[in-house]
Amino acid sequence: SSAEYLVNRGANYYQAKEYAKAAESFARAAEVDTLNHVALRNLALTYNTMNNGAKLLDAATRLLALEPLSETAQRLQIQGYIDLKDKARGGPAVDRLDAMPVDLEVSTFVPNAAGAHVVGKALGRAAKKNGKALAPTAVTATFEFVDGSGKVVATHDLAIPALKPGQNWDFTFEAEGSNLTGWRYSRK
């Protein structure tokens, strides 16, 4: 079964409040396609609904590895630490979220013959460290685009300007490469 089919099936189970079946479908989709952001996000949200802190933490940490500037992924990971009463790792996770200057969201990834079309936005956050406000800072996210075998075939540096809290910054770019099937990024 394709990851897309499994994600859709999981969403149907979730809507029907059959959370165990939803989690099974989302987990299978994330196995079929390890870069399936939607499957991992839905898996984490489902485990959160089920109050399964250990599995929530695992899914959220996997999502965070793909999207380190995602506020949603950060918050899901923190919730996993809270559920497990793991203050030793939860405290630093909260500090990382507090200091994060932007929330980066990719809304569209459409592969094509020449590469892929990518659309998203960054939202400025009220970053702080040790309770003190941090000035807005520019951030660079390095995107990696992979083919079906998981090999990185293209990269793109996205230079995000310093954004005031609540300020949106939309972006669109074309990734060049053949047979692109997935993406991830890291903070430079």
Side-chain angles (χ1 to χ4, degrees):
S1 296
S2 74
E4 183 178 353
Y5 168 78
L6 291 164
V7 166
N8 288 334
R9 185 173 74 177
N12 289 334
Y13 282 135
Y14 190 91
Q15 291 296 324
K17 299 186 186 321
E18 295 183 53
Y19 301 122
K21 289 181 180 179
E24 184 180 319
S25 289
F26 294 137
R28 182 72 184 115
E31 288 172 17
V32 169
D33 179 1
T34 58
L35 295 180
N36 192 310
H37 301 252
V38 174
L40 284 170
R41 184 173 290 109
N42 287 349
L43 182 60
L45 290 167
T46 301
Y47 285 137
N48 187 47
T49 300
M50 296 171 70
N51 297 314
N52 188 329
K55 289 187 176 183
L56 164 59
L57 181 59
D58 176 67
T61 300
R62 289 166 51 201
L63 179 61
L64 200 52
L66 302 179
E67 301 180 40
L69 292 172
S70 166
E71 184 170 340
T72 298
Q74 296 269 1
R75 289 188 182 282
L76 287 166
Q77 185 187 54
I78 290 167
Q79 186 60 51
Y81 289 131
I82 291 169
D83 291 352
L84 296 174
K85 298 177 180 25
D86 187 343
K87 292 181 181 178
R89 293 189 298 166
V94 169
D95 292 342
R96 282 191 300 276
L97 174 61
D98 285 349
M100 199 168 73
V102 297
D103 177 21
L104 182 62
E105 179 184 318
V106 173
S107 57
T108 304
F109 168 74
V110 180
N112 55 49
H117 180 70
V118 181
V119 177
K121 70 176 180 177
L123 175 65
R125 298 184 72 252
K128 60 185 176 181
K129 184 172 184 175
N130 299 324
K132 295 183 180 179
L134 297 173
T137 59
V139 179
T140 299
T142 299
F143 280 77
E144 294 182 334
F145 298 92
V146 301
D147 63 16
S149 71
K151 177 184 169 194
V152 175
V153 293
T155 61
H156 179 86
D157 282 346
L158 180 68
I160 303 165
L163 300 172
K164 295 177 185 172
Q167 182 181 2
N168 278 314
W169 181 74
D170 297 323
F171 64 87
T172 301
F173 66 87
E174 303 297 322
E176 295 181 9
S178 58
N179 302 316
L180 303 183
T181 60
W183 59 274
R184 62 182 171 246
Y185 68 82
S186 59
R187 183 173 174 180
K188 201 169 190 183

